[in-house]
Structures are given as C-alpha cells and as structure tokens.
Amino acid sequence: MNLLQKMEDDRLFSRGEREVVHFLLGHPTENLTIKELVEQSGTSNATVIRMCRKLGYDGYRQFKLEFIREVESRKYLKETVDYSRPFQAQESIQEMICKMGTLYKESTDLLLGILDGKVITEISRMILKAQRVYIYAVSDSMITARGFANKLLKLNIYPTLVYEYQEEYTFSYNMTDRDCAVFLSYSLSYERFKKAFQMLKSKRVPVLTITANESHAITKLSTYRLVIPRMESGFKIAPFYSQFAFGFLCDVIYAGIYALDYQYNQERKRELDEAVR
C-alpha cells in the first residue's frame, strides 16, 4: 500500500489527524510548511507529527518529501489497475492482455514522475568510477540484478552478485570507499541486509538503494536512493510491477553510464560486435 492509499483509510487516524489528511488530499499541490499546514487545517503541530508517524515517517519533512513525490507521480496516471492482481478469473484473455498493457503503461508513467536526471548522472558516475561494484539482491530481485550485471559487462564493468556466493559479510567486510554497493529490494525485509549495510557504512562505501521502502534505515542512510511508489500489497499474482520498475531503473542507470562517454562506448560496442563475427 502506497502513501496516498494509506491516507485514504480514515480508520488509521484520530479526528484531528483526519482533518490534516483531508486537507492535504484536498490541496495536494500546495507545498506547505508545518506552520502553514497547522494554520490552514485548524489543528496543531503535535497532531501533524502523530499523523506522520502513523504513516511511517519520523517527522513532517520526511513525510512531505514522499507526499509531494507521490502526488507528482500520480499526475501521469490516466487509468487505474490493481498492480497486485491486474486481471481476474472471469475476464477473457483479451481483457487480460489489455489489463497487462495498462499495468506497464501506468508503471512507466509513475517511474517517469520520480526520476531526476541529475541524480541518475551522479549514480552513473559513482558506478563508473568504482573499483568494484557489488549488487545485493535476493529472490525475484536477483533476476533483475543478473540482467543489470549483464548490461554492465558490455561497458567493461564487472559487478559481483553478492548472494550468488552466499558470502555477503565477507564481501562487505573487504570493501573499501573506492568500491560501491547497490541494494535492489522492494521491501528490504531480508534480515541479513542490515548487518551487511552496517559494515559498508563503517567503511564509507558509497551505496545506492533501489526500493519501495522509503522509511527503512538502509534507504535513509544510503548515499543515493531511488524509491519507487509502493503499488503492490498483500497477495500478488506475480511481481509484475516491481520487476518491471527495477528493470526500468537499472536500464536508465545503464543508459546514464553509457551516455557519460557515448562516442567511446559506441565505438567499443562496434569493435566487440566485429570481433565476435
């Protein structure tokens, strides 16, 4: 469940908190300070802070950043689809095809709404200059990680998929600030991520986290973070949305690295293609 969906559930909030929520949902494009929000909603600082904490944020500033990001993302939506269960048993195969098409169209529009070219350039430079690149991913995310690693090989970058060796602590302990790490996980719920991340932070290793969990400590403390809207919840037919979203972001990063020296990479790719003929 994403932030806007949570805010629409009145059962989560007290009467005062509902006043704040309803005001925000009714004025989504106004970038208000907490003082302005309190005055215009007729509530108090304490009420606003309680609302933020119920939604999983430490304070108003953190909440506001996510709220603005989701509102901006929603501007691109033309239709709605259930991202966890995009089609139902009674629907025809043609209806299913249309629903899947809608899911991917909407997902693309959502992601376009969160991407910042400057941040992608900074991430691309971090990966390009790193002595070694390590990717932390498990389960479904590992599939995307393998695809990303395969693309990076084309640019003479040789990433290590940490969990293929089951030695995440060894890798994390041996890394330095000349390396970089990428965490790829929808929820960041895998318990062993935490200790590995603590090791990386103690060694000042630059970290990029790609996730849907805005409030996780790993996300907050990462050097860079790409947070996708949390659209999947509960039982899902398959991770259609999350795998597509992660793949899209990894492709954008690959394109960013390629673009840093476009002419060189283009010539090198031509040479490679000729060499294997």
Side-chain angles (χ1 to χ4, degrees), residues 132-136 159-162 171 175 179-183:
R132 298 175 295 184
V133 179
Y134 293 86
I135 303 177
Y136 293 71
T160 297
L161 299 173
V162 171
F171 284 124
M175 289 173 70
D179 304 318
C180 78
V182 178
F183 281 78

Side-chain angles (χ1 to χ4, degrees), residues 195-210:
K195 188 172 181 63
F197 182 78
Q198 289 168 357
M199 290 180 176
L200 297 176
K201 290 303 290 181
S202 70
K203 294 175 175 292
R204 301 181 184 276
V205 177
V207 175
L208 161 66
T209 296
I210 304 176

Side-chain angles (χ1 to χ4, degrees), residues 136-159:
Y136 293 71
V138 295
S139 190
D140 293 324
S141 297
M142 177 62 85
I143 298 169
T144 305
R146 289 194 182 104
F148 186 39
N150 178 263
K151 289 183 177 70
L152 292 178
L153 289 176
K154 310 293 193 297
L155 298 177
N156 202 26
I157 299 171
Y158 300 90

Side-chain angles (χ1 to χ4, degrees), residues 73-136:
S73 297
R74 288 302 179 100
K75 286 181 182 179
Y76 297 91
L77 285 177
K78 298 178 181 64
E79 298 182 54
T80 56
V81 64
D82 187 330
Y83 286 70
S84 299
R85 295 176 293 279
F87 54 88
Q88 304 298 323
Q90 69 274 17
E91 292 176 332
S92 69
I93 189 68
Q94 194 60 46
E95 289 174 315
M96 182 201 74
I97 291 169
C98 290
K99 289 287 187 67
M100 293 299 295
T102 299
L103 185 151
Y104 289 124
K105 286 178 184 177
E106 284 195 12
S107 297
T108 300
D109 288 341
L110 278 172
L111 296 169
L112 290 174
I114 69 167
L115 286 172
D116 183 326
K118 181 181 177 182
V119 173
I120 295 299
T121 298
E122 291 175 0
I123 290 169
S124 301
R125 286 183 176 142
M126 177 190 76
I127 293 173
L128 186 59
K129 77 175 186 179
Q131 189 173 73
R132 298 175 295 184
V133 179
Y134 293 86
I135 303 177
Y136 293 71

